Amino acid sequence: MTNFPTTDEIARNVREALDRIGVSAEATTGPVAVHTPITGGQIAGTFANTAEDVDAAIGRADAAFRGWREVPAPVRGALVKRWGELLVEYKQDLAVIVTAEAGKIPSEAAGEVQEMIDIVDLAVGQSRQLYGKTMPSERPGHRLAETWHPLGVVGIITAFNFPVAVYAWNTALALIAGDTVVWKPAEAVRLSAIATDALLARAVEEVGAPADLHQLVLADRHAAAAIVEDDRVRLVSATGSVRMGREIAPTIAARFGRALLELGGNNAAIVAPSADLDLALRGIVFAAAGTAGQRCTTLRRLIVHTSVADELVERIAKAYGTLAIGAPTSEGTLVGPLINRASFDAQQQALRDAVEQGGTVVCGGERVLEDAAADAFYVQPAVVRMPAQSQVMHEETFAPILYVVTYDELADAIALNNEVPQGLSSAIFTQDQAEAERFLSASGSDCGISNVNIGTSGAEIGGAFGGEKETGGGRESGSDSWKIYMRQATNTINYSGELPLAQGVEFI
């Protein structure tokens, strides 16, 4: 059985990490309890911002924007670079806090902080490459060009499962774009947010940047409503459920603000008859069971060719039986806890629904380690064989459940991949180049991320991250994602001394 730390031990480790980062004890001794999913116990307390506090924070960020937008982009990059250096220095401390609050095993927590460091590296380079185009004009003595300018205040709403990385994805690019930020983190991971914000504050002070360009608000959804509603917030980048997206998107659109939405996943992988099953097995198990199934890119649906389905399912079930489940702080643990009871209840309901809809539970699904951690929720990852058409597979459950269906023709497998309302990540395991190309083609996967011979999770910083349909259409991280944080202007420069009109129009 895994060795469980006590709640006091976790709290002490977190407090020591916060001390090293420079967060005062006063900031973590407020009236709002912070619990760890490792034991379910309280490890700290924080303050709670009011609606008035949030309004004031937006005001400060808006005022800071007026000066920050005038700072040359490479100079703005110097701030982001210093932030990255501090993230490197305090990587392990921040990872300790992420493990305590989100329940991630240490390698995943450290990997999340590494994502922050990676996006900072990308953003620093991008600060010297905010390129526009020059286009030929139809009029003699004229030049057409596009320029990119800072947008304004960016509101960032993040989820519990990636408590710091997604904030960094947005903030690193927003800052080099000349924007300021207001951050509302998930209520379950407030200590991670406080620590991350403290490191940015230190970087701001050391490089002499405006102190108010970043604002952290620890508020519930009602108090933080102004982030969605206020005209001063030009872009809202929100990560969460489809339900949340449906609620906030109309409000943002009504005031003609911009929305960058990263919502539900419900990701699938196809396993073709030519697949390397050893490779597929490793990719499937990590994507489906890693982070206790609490990634937006978690593999939730497996679409397997009939000829290899029985063998592969048997191998997955055997691999699941070897997964070390327990306190993420214990050496060798691979699967940590669910974030809370609500996640456990949702998993149990989904399994009941699956069975009612004709599914057969191959393995897993039960709560484990209840005697060792009565107030925490650890589960055995589940594998469920399902009929091809089942409503439960259309709904994303944020827990480790892998639904398995079979197919005979690749076109049918692609149709199964695409039939759900979400469209984030997808994958195919095949050694057939033609199958891979069909999956990646315009008539293949309809997801924002389409992989070949790799699982659905584990995206790299260099590529744009995001999905289609109910996933929201947003793009973060690499490629040209920086453009969402800026406004584009088309410029016409007349150096001819004449005034010809476009399209041959004549006017006195």
Side-chain angles (χ1 to χ4, degrees):
M1 178 180 290
T2 184
N3 294 318
F4 273 84
T6 66
T7 299
D8 286 345
E9 289 171 336
I10 298 169
R12 182 170 59 253
N13 289 338
V14 168
R15 183 63 258 165
E16 291 173 353
L18 289 167
D19 285 341
R20 287 188 290 269
I21 288 171
V23 176
S24 69
E26 182 181 1
T28 59
T29 54
V32 183
V34 177
H35 294 86
T36 174
I38 299 173
T39 64
Q42 181 177 343
I43 57 173
T46 69
F47 58 89
N49 288 119
T50 65
E52 291 75 18
D53 294 332
V54 175
D55 178 75
I58 294 171
R60 289 192 296 271
D62 186 51
F65 168 69
R66 309 298 165 179
W68 185 239
R69 65 183 173 183
E70 301 296 338
V71 175
V75 179
R76 300 193 294 254
L79 165 62
V80 177
K81 180 180 180 181
R82 181 57 186 144
W83 188 34
E85 292 169 347
L86 292 171
L87 290 171
V88 171
E89 183 177 352
Y90 294 99
K91 177 179 177 178
Q92 187 55 43
D93 291 317
L94 192 51
V96 165
I97 301 168
V98 169
T99 288
E101 282 196 305
K104 291 187 175 184
I105 61 176
S107 67
E108 289 193 61
E112 179 169 352
V113 182
Q114 186 62 47
E115 280 195 54
M116 303 175 76
I117 297 165
D118 292 346
I119 192 63
V120 163
D121 285 347
L122 183 146
V124 172
Q126 192 71 66
S127 70
R128 293 184 180 270
Q129 301 179 87
L130 301 176
Y131 294 138
K133 299 184 180 77
T134 297
M135 293 80 73
S137 172
E138 67 186 59
R139 290 170 283 184
H142 286 62
R143 177 168 63 86
L144 294 177
E146 69 176 26
T147 50
W148 293 86
H149 303 287
L151 181 64
V153 178
V154 175
I156 304 171
I157 301 170
T158 55
F160 80 86
N161 59 327
F162 278 86
V164 292
V166 175
Y167 170 68
W169 288 2
N170 285 274
T171 299
L173 290 175
L175 290 177
I176 66 100
D179 301 331
T180 56
V181 298
V182 178
W183 180 21
K184 181 209 172 302
E187 294 174 55
V189 287
R190 283 163 284 157
L191 301 180
S192 300
I194 291 170
T196 298
D197 186 67
L199 291 175
L200 180 53
R202 179 170 161 185
V204 165
E205 181 179 7
E206 290 179 359
V207 304
D212 288 332
L213 59 78
H214 65 112
Q215 301 290 320
L216 172 65
V217 293
L218 303 180
D220 62 25
R221 58 193 294 254
H222 301 293
I227 294 175
V228 174
E229 299 168 355
D230 197 311
D231 285 340
R232 294 172 295 179
V233 180
R234 298 308 306 144
L235 167 66
V236 177
S237 177
T239 302
S241 66
V242 173
R243 175 197 56 75
M244 179 202 71
R246 290 190 192 281
E247 290 180 2
I248 69 173
T251 301
I252 300 167
R255 62 177 180 83
F256 297 100
R258 293 189 192 179
L260 194 170
L261 301 178
E262 299 287 2
L263 308 176
N266 205 0
N267 316 291
I270 297 169
V271 181
S274 67
D276 178 337
L277 293 188
D278 291 334
L279 180 71
L281 178 66
R282 294 196 299 274
I284 290 165
V285 172
F286 172 71
T291 326
Q294 296 173 119
R295 290 182 177 225
C296 51
T297 53
T298 289
L299 178 59
R300 309 200 182 280
R301 298 175 298 129
L302 189 63
I303 305 165
V304 191
H305 193 269
T306 305
S307 63
V308 296
D310 290 344
E311 177 186 354
L312 183 58
V313 169
E314 182 179 350
R315 294 182 67 178
I316 294 171
K318 184 177 179 180
Y320 270 26
T322 68
L323 294 176
I325 304 169
T329 51
S330 296
E331 185 176 355
T333 295
L334 295 175
V335 180
L338 295 175
I339 190 67
N340 54 30
R341 175 181 284 278
S343 293
F344 172 72
D345 291 342
Q347 184 219 32
Q348 296 302 298
Q349 184 60 55
L351 289 171
R352 289 191 292 269
D353 292 343
V355 171
E356 289 177 4
Q357 294 172 29
T360 301
V361 177
V362 176
C363 64
E366 64 273 14
R367 185 179 179 187
V368 297
L369 304 174
E370 188 172 0
D371 291 341
D375 297 321
F377 296 88
Y378 294 82
V379 295
Q380 182 74 43
V383 177
V384 187
R385 296 198 70 161
M386 297 295 298
Q389 302 299 326
S390 303
Q391 182 57 38
V392 70
M393 291 195 299
H394 288 234
E395 301 161 359
E396 182 187 33
T397 301
F398 231 56
I401 303 174
L402 180 62
Y403 303 114
V404 182
V405 297
T406 59
Y407 78 95
D408 293 309
E409 301 293 334
L410 181 60
D412 295 330
I414 292 173
L416 287 168
N417 176 83
N418 295 347
E419 73 174 6
V420 299
Q422 308 87 357
L424 179 53
S425 187
S426 59
I428 187 170
F429 290 91
T430 179
Q431 298 299 310
D432 186 322
Q433 183 69 23
E435 287 188 322
E437 295 295 343
R438 286 177 63 188
F439 180 74
L440 299 176
S441 72
S443 58
S445 170
D446 64 359
C447 296
I449 300 170
S450 300
N451 298 331
V452 176
N453 291 328
I454 191 171
T456 56
S457 59
E460 294 184 32
I461 288 301
F465 180 91
E468 299 300 319
K469 302 187 294 188
E470 288 189 359
T471 301
R475 292 297 185 275
E476 295 172 312
S477 189
S479 185
D480 61 353
S481 299
W482 60 271
K483 292 181 177 179
I484 190 67
Y485 305 95
M486 305 196 79
R487 61 177 179 85
Q488 181 182 13
T490 299
N491 314 130
T492 303
I493 302 96
N494 177 8
Y495 58 91
S496 70
E498 305 293 335
L499 195 63
L501 301 178
Q503 294 86 46
V505 174
E506 295 184 2
F507 194 82
I508 295 176

